[in-house]
Amino acid sequence: QVHLMESGGGLVHAGGSLRLSCAASGDIFRINDMAWYRQTPGKPRRLVAHVTSGGMTRYEDSVKGRFTISRDNAKNAVYLQMMRLKPEDTAVYYCHAGVQTGPNYESEYWGRGTQVNVSS
């Protein structure tokens, strides 16, 4: 079994910064793609940022230039540095990873989410 645990959410004023962290633990052979999603009430979960095992990144248009995704493969961790936060960034942020528990078997895993609130 694999678990993803997010941390770093909270309340911040518009223009401020937060850094989210997500650590994977359990029966891990290899972690492939990792990503951050976010969700607001009544809306579907949406991709915010994605990073491959090789470090290639992509971002949702509204966060380009403000958010940076990074990963530490030695720590099985992924991070999201969020700067110049806006009230519309308020959401529950979820960590997602494609994890191999063996050489030929991969599953998708989600964290439980961390709340980010940006006040105007």
Side-chain angles (χ1 to χ4, degrees):
Q1 189 59 272
V2 174
H3 298 280
L4 302 181
M5 178 66 72
E6 301 102 334
S7 61
L11 174 63
V12 64
H13 292 298
S17 301
L18 281 174
R19 185 175 187 250
L20 305 183
S21 300
C22 172
S25 62
D27 187 16
I28 298 170
F29 176 79
R30 173 186 169 90
I31 300 179
N32 295 316
D33 294 359
M34 303 185 83
W36 288 95
Y37 287 72
R38 65 186 178 187
Q39 188 172 24
T40 55
K43 298 289 182 65
R45 199 170 292 185
R46 296 189 60 172
L47 179 69
V48 175
H50 174 273
V51 60
T52 68
S53 58
M56 294 191 66
T57 60
R58 58 186 174 95
Y59 298 90
E60 193 260 336
D61 284 347
S62 70
V63 307
K64 286 180 180 177
R66 300 189 299 122
F67 290 12
T68 302
I69 189 170
S70 61
R71 63 189 287 170
D72 185 332
N73 292 329
K75 296 182 178 180
N76 291 330
V78 63
Y79 309 97
L80 187 68
Q81 179 67 50
M82 304 185 293
M83 302 178 67
R84 301 193 300 280
L85 282 160
K86 304 176 181 180
E88 51 263 43
D89 295 318
T90 294
V92 178
Y93 284 71
Y94 295 91
C95 176
H96 175 270
V99 180
Q100 291 179 245
T101 54
N104 300 308
Y105 188 77
E106 178 177 344
S107 295
E108 295 185 32
Y109 294 90
W110 292 91
R112 292 189 174 186
T114 185
Q115 179 72 47
V116 172
N117 289 309
V118 184
S119 63
S120 57

